Amino acid sequence: AKTMRLVRIVGVCMAVVAALAAGPGRADDANPADAVIQRFIDASGGMAKLSAIHSRVYESTMKVGWIKLDAKTTLAWPDRILVEGKLPVVGTRVTNGYDGTVAWNGSGMGAPRRLQGREFQEFVLGQRLDRMTRLFELYPKRRLLPPKAGDSAPQVEMTTQFGSSEVWTFDPATGLLQAAEGDHDGGPKKGPVHVFTKFEDYRTVDGVTLPFRALL
């Protein structure tokens, strides 16, 4: 299993106008899935506090077997992304980023590769700082799935603007995201990859509740 633990999260808060705090996209009262999503937003700190975070820097460690990757991620509102990583054993540096126009992946062993198509869309969507404030817009189709026998955890199928979908499972007690599962673009060499991610160790930083561990 892959384990990613967020070591440090620093948020820089800025004042925002009421219109921004409301966030684009709104819940549909007639859609039962939206009550689950709204509870998740509220449990994460609420729209106003989520919108007030205009930059974030966090350090993480990812382990895959004996391979360890230390990374630093810098995010700026709404969608500027820079991920800088290092493989300590071999000293190789990797970078991923998005400057508002171009997204790239660099392994330190040649020229960076430009991300395109679904790989580009998924990278920006998964990392962008404003995602939580725009869930109803970025995932225009949301469907509450039938409950599983003996399991009270609500599940919502979330479909993106570009047609891909994931199933999100929520903690029935807290309303926070427990797990996400779906197919993702693994790049030109891997193709589609089915990914199941479990989120744990939630902590509150600058009024926003975030998972400090992800298990893949």
Side-chain angles (χ1 to χ4, degrees):
K2 302 177 184 178
T3 303
M4 179 173 65
R5 183 175 181 81
L6 304 187
V7 180
R8 177 172 60 90
I9 296 182
V10 180
V12 179
C13 298
M14 299 176 62
V16 291
V17 298
L20 177 61
R26 296 188 180 279
D28 180 357
D29 292 339
N31 185 350
D34 285 7
V36 178
I37 301 304
Q38 186 60 56
R39 188 185 179 209
F40 171 42
I41 293 171
D42 295 340
S44 298
M47 195 66 77
K49 290 182 179 179
L50 290 166
S51 298
I53 304 297
H54 273 216
S55 65
R56 175 178 294 141
V57 178
Y58 65 85
E59 295 177 352
S60 60
T61 298
M62 178 177 289
K63 296 179 180 179
V64 184
W66 60 272
I67 300 175
K68 177 182 176 182
L69 173 66
D70 296 323
K72 176 183 177 181
T73 300
T74 303
L75 306 175
W77 187 278
D79 58 6
R80 302 304 185 265
I81 305 161
L82 179 61
V83 183
E84 303 168 284
K86 181 179 181 181
L87 292 166
V89 176
V90 296
T92 300
R93 293 186 176 275
V94 297
T95 61
N96 293 326
Y98 177 61
D99 63 5
T101 303
V102 176
W104 68 90
N105 178 297
S107 66
M109 301 176 67
R113 177 175 61 86
R114 183 169 180 172
L115 304 184
Q116 297 182 356
R118 182 170 168 181
E119 187 182 15
F120 162 79
Q121 295 166 330
E122 290 180 349
F123 172 71
V124 177
L125 177 61
Q127 294 281 357
R128 61 186 303 147
L129 188 56
D130 67 344
R131 185 172 80 141
M132 282 293 294
T133 66
R134 299 177 61 194
L135 288 178
F136 297 115
E137 175 187 353
L138 297 173
Y139 297 86
K141 294 182 180 180
R142 305 166 297 276
R143 181 171 67 95
L144 184 64
L145 300 180
K148 294 182 178 180
D151 189 352
S152 60
Q155 290 189 310
V156 176
E157 182 181 54
M158 304 286 288
T159 302
T160 67
Q161 293 174 317
F162 44 91
S164 66
S165 63
E166 287 188 331
V167 174
W168 292 8
T169 302
F170 298 89
D171 188 319
T174 66
L176 294 169
L177 186 64
Q178 276 187 334
E181 181 175 10
D183 292 329
H184 296 268
D185 191 327
K189 293 184 179 180
K190 293 183 179 179
V193 178
H194 189 77
V195 179
F196 177 86
T197 307
K198 184 178 181 181
F199 302 98
E200 299 179 342
D201 191 17
Y202 275 89
R203 306 180 195 178
T204 301
V205 180
D206 290 337
V208 175
T209 302
L210 301 164
F212 270 60
R213 183 182 295 115
L215 305 176
L216 283 76

